């Protein structure tokens, strides 16, 4: 079988001058520490969100607020809306530099949350902390520029799923911190984690020498960030404000108009903050859309898993395990472990199988896991099985995404193209939980005031929709985003000669 050059990530990774810091000698103690520190920063992105979600009841009680949802909304909005700007600045001024700036802003957010005397300061802390999401895509983009060529696929793959240090144990750790030291301890721990990892990154990981000689598109940055913020705000607040309210309609329509203006501008200037002409290349678009769906389906699937696991069976009638929040970690822990192991598998196999095949496998597992849970969710073993299938699908999909983007994007636009994945994930992730609740709410019942129990049919229909989204993405990718035979490598002019295989 002829292997397409997009699948051989190593063959599309030119060795820039900055890679001399590691050379091509293979694994060294310094390189191992570099990989671990970047993986741990990826873990911190998930830890921050899970920690705030778990701490919400305590935060509500402490500040006597009904607006706690803004903590999650602010974090997600900033993470998605700032992605193109961080990506572009990384191409202009250096990926490690922008990673460290993002970490610094997130650390400032942790400090605010840890000492906040008022709720609005907690929200401001989350606004700053949302910048840590930049580590997701800048991490593997930095690896691409500085790591030995044959190690790039492995490093990029595991950088998206983490090492499991926090993702598997996070529910248990967060529970211990909150129960014994209060909700502020979550942010103190996160602050310490970020500082330690930032120091290790500075000590072990060189800055990329690649720079894009261009001016920052200020107008485009404002338009893109503003339009995305308005759209995401309207989607996030639809249930609370009402979908027909002036606030939601104004945000959605206003955001779409602003984004339309950005599209017109981006197609007319030479150096837009997010180059749409490069983004629509098939390999990049495939990775961005499929990876975004994988990210975006996670909130929906995890919401449904929580309902299946934590609803008492006497209330759910035909479903419900009655788990506590702590016991629920017996499902989320193995699910996260499955994702981590799948990411490792992709890193080890991608040079042989190709990233595209791994993405197909991930999407198929999303379909299989959701369909399994539709009919098999009345025991712990069944729910756990479905959760692990979804976790492995997540690992395959997310680990394949950076390899596809690395293969398709020009070297000097790796940062901005990588940020497109975060942008896609933010948009899809904001929509999918709303879709689930829109499906479930009409058939829900309220046995006592303040308690809403969703029907089995509502949950199973939502799982079917989740499966259909993954399946539709897979079909669309196969039919419309396969590489053209006449252009086997979309960034071919940037590819060096492939490395010679070492004789067995």
């Amino acid at each position: 079988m002829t292997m397409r050059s997009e699948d051989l990530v190593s063959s599309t990774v030119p060795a820039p001058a900055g890679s001399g810091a590691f050379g091509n000698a293979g694994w060294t103690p310094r390189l191992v520490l570099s990989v671990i520190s970047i993986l741990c920063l990826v873990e911190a992105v998930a830890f921050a969100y899970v920690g705030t979600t778990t701490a919400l009841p305590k935060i509500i009680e402490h500040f006597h607020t009904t607006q706690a949802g803004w903590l999650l909304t602010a974090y997600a909005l900033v993470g998605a809306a700032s992605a193109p700007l961080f990506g572009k600045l990384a191409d202009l001024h250096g990926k490690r530099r922008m990673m460290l700036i993002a970490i610094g802003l997130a650390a400032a957010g942790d400090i605010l949350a840890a000492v906040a005397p008022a709720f609005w300061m907690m929200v401001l802390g989350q606004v700053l902390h949302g910048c840590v999401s930049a580590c997701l895509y800048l991490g593997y983009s930095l690896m691409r520029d500085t790591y030995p060529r044959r190690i790039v696929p492995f490093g990029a793959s595991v950088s998206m799923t983490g090492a499991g240090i926090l993702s598997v144990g996070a529910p248990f750790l967060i529970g211990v911190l909150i129960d014994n030291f209060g909700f502020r301890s979550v942010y103190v721990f996160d602050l310490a984690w970020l500082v330690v990892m930032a120091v290790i990154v500075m000590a072990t990981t060189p800055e990329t020498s690649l720079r894009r000689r261009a001016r920052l598109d200020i107008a485009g940055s404002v338009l893109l960030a503003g339009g995305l913020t308005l759209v995401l705000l309207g989607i996030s607040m639809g249930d609370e404000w009402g979908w027909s309210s002036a606030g939601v309609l104004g945000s959605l329509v206003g955001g779409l108009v602003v984004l339309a203006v950005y599209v017109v501008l981006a197609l007319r200037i030479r150096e837009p903050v997010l180059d749409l002409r490069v983004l629509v290349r098939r390999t990049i678009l495939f990775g961005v859309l499929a990876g975004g769906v994988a990210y975006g389906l996670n909130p929906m699937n995890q919401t449904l898993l929580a309902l299946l696991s934590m609803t008492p069976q006497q209330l759910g009638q035909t479903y419900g395990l009655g788990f506590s929040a702590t016991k629920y970690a017996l499902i989320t822990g193995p699910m996260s472990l499955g994702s981590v192991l799948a990411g490792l598998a992709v890193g080890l196999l991608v040079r042989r199988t190709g990233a595209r095949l791994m993405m197909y496998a991930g999407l198929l597992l999303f379909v299989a896991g959701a369909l399994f849970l539709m009919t098999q969710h009345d025991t712990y073993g069944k729910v756990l099985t479905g959760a692990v299938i979804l976790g492995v699908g997540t690992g395959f999909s997310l680990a394949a995404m950076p390899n596809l983007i690395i293969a398709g994007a020009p070297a000097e636009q790796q940062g901005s193209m990588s940020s497109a994945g975060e942008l896609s994930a933010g948009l899809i992730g904001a929509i999918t939980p709303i879709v689930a609740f829109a499906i479930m709410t009409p058939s829900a019942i309220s046995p006592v005031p303040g308690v809403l129990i969703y029907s089995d049919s509502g949950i199973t229909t939502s799982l079917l929709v989740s499966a259909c989204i993954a399946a539709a993405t897979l079909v669309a990718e196969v039919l419309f985003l396969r590489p053209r035979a006449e252009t086997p490598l979309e960034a071919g002019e940037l590819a060096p000669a492939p490395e010679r295989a070492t004789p067995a």
Side-chain angles (χ1 to χ4, degrees):
M1 180 181 70
T2 300
M3 185 69 71
R4 289 187 296 270
S5 52
E6 72 161 54
D7 293 327
L8 294 174
V9 176
S10 62
S11 71
T12 66
V13 182
S19 65
F22 284 120
N24 284 305
W27 292 102
T28 64
R30 181 184 177 191
L31 181 56
V32 170
L33 281 175
S34 175
V35 172
I36 291 174
S37 62
I38 293 177
L39 296 190
C40 288
L41 288 172
V42 173
E43 303 275 10
V45 177
F47 182 86
Y49 189 86
V50 174
T52 298
T53 302
T54 308
L56 279 182
K58 297 292 185 181
I59 294 173
I60 292 170
E61 179 183 349
H62 180 82
F63 290 105
H64 305 290
T65 181
T66 60
Q67 303 297 316
W70 277 104
L71 295 173
L72 302 178
T73 300
Y75 181 85
L77 281 176
V78 172
S82 66
L85 180 60
F86 270 107
K88 189 64 174 182
L89 289 172
D91 288 334
L92 295 175
H93 303 294
K95 299 176 179 71
R96 191 184 77 158
R97 177 179 297 174
M98 294 314 301
M99 274 186 66
L100 294 174
I101 289 175
I103 294 169
L105 291 171
D110 277 330
I111 293 172
L112 270 180
V115 302
F119 180 71
W120 70 266
M121 290 187 67
M122 285 287 296
V123 175
L124 179 58
Q126 289 301 95
V127 168
L128 293 173
H129 204 281
C131 296
V132 77
S133 297
C135 294
L136 281 171
Y137 49 90
L138 294 182
Y140 70 76
S141 189
L142 181 60
M143 289 177 172
R144 179 254 178 226
D145 291 350
T146 61
Y147 281 16
R149 292 169 60 185
R150 64 177 178 271
I151 293 175
V152 169
F154 176 83
S157 299
V158 298
S159 73
M160 296 301 291
T161 56
I165 299 172
L166 283 182
S167 60
V168 176
F172 302 99
L173 174 61
I174 291 168
V176 170
L177 288 172
I178 293 174
D179 290 342
N180 292 278
F181 305 103
F183 71 87
R184 298 183 190 274
S185 64
V186 173
Y187 302 102
V188 174
F189 178 89
D190 191 70
L191 172 63
W193 187 270
L194 289 176
V195 170
V196 171
M197 295 309 147
V199 171
I200 297 176
V201 166
M202 287 189 290
T204 62
T205 310
E207 177 62 279
T208 173
S209 62
L210 290 177
R211 295 290 189 277
R212 188 167 181 83
R213 295 182 179 179
R215 294 182 179 180
L216 179 62
D217 175 20
I218 301 295
S221 300
V222 173
L223 287 171
L224 186 56
L228 290 172
T229 299
L230 287 173
V231 170
L232 288 168
L233 179 63
I235 293 172
S236 300
M237 304 308 296
D239 284 338
E240 183 174 337
W241 292 352
W243 288 100
S244 60
S245 66
V248 169
L249 292 178
S251 294
L252 292 176
V253 173
L256 292 174
V257 170
V258 172
L259 290 176
V261 173
Y262 171 76
V263 170
V264 173
L265 176 66
L267 294 176
R268 296 183 64 180
I269 66 175
R270 185 175 180 180
E271 293 288 345
V273 64
L274 182 63
D275 195 334
L276 302 180
R277 290 160 294 200
V278 176
L279 180 61
V280 296
R281 292 181 179 182
R282 292 188 176 202
T283 302
I284 300 175
L285 193 58
F286 175 47
V288 168
L289 289 181
V293 167
Y295 263 116
L297 284 179
N298 265 329
M300 181 177 186
N301 290 334
Q302 291 187 11
T303 297
L304 298 172
L305 280 170
L307 292 174
L308 291 172
S309 303
M310 301 174 70
T311 302
Q313 189 164 25
Q314 60 269 28
L315 295 179
Q317 298 180 357
T318 56
Y319 74 92
L321 303 180
F323 282 7
S324 64
T326 301
K327 194 173 182 180
Y328 179 51
L330 296 175
I331 290 176
T332 56
M335 182 180 182
S336 297
L337 180 60
S339 178
V340 170
L341 294 177
L344 290 171
V346 172
L348 295 172
L349 298 174
V350 68
R351 285 167 60 90
R352 297 181 180 180
T353 64
R356 185 174 290 268
L357 182 60
M358 293 297 184
M359 184 66 81
Y360 289 159
L363 291 173
L364 280 173
L365 286 168
F366 267 104
V367 176
L371 292 179
F372 178 87
L373 285 171
M374 277 182 60
T375 57
Q376 307 294 324
H377 52 246
D378 58 337
T379 67
Y380 167 67
K382 293 175 181 179
V383 175
L384 177 62
T385 299
V388 170
I389 293 173
L390 291 173
V392 174
T394 300
F396 274 113
S397 301
L398 299 190
M401 180 176 72
N403 286 292
L404 287 163
I405 294 175
I406 286 173
E412 71 275 12
Q413 292 196 39
Q414 287 285 325
S416 57
M417 289 301 105
S418 298
S419 71
E422 171 67 14
L423 178 57
S424 174
L427 287 171
I428 299 172
I431 295 171
T432 53
I434 293 172
V435 171
F437 283 109
I439 294 170
M440 294 188 295
T441 300
S443 60
I445 60 173
S446 181
V448 294
V451 176
L452 197 63
I453 302 299
Y454 299 100
S455 68
D456 191 297
S457 63
I459 292 178
T460 55
T461 302
S462 296
L463 286 166
L464 177 61
V465 169
S466 175
C468 288
I469 292 173
T473 303
L474 177 60
V475 171
E477 306 279 10
V478 171
L479 293 180
F480 304 113
L481 293 179
R482 296 178 65 183
R484 296 186 180 94
E486 66 272 18
T487 55
L489 177 63
E490 298 183 68
E493 69 279 5
L494 296 167
E499 293 180 329
R500 293 185 178 181
T502 302

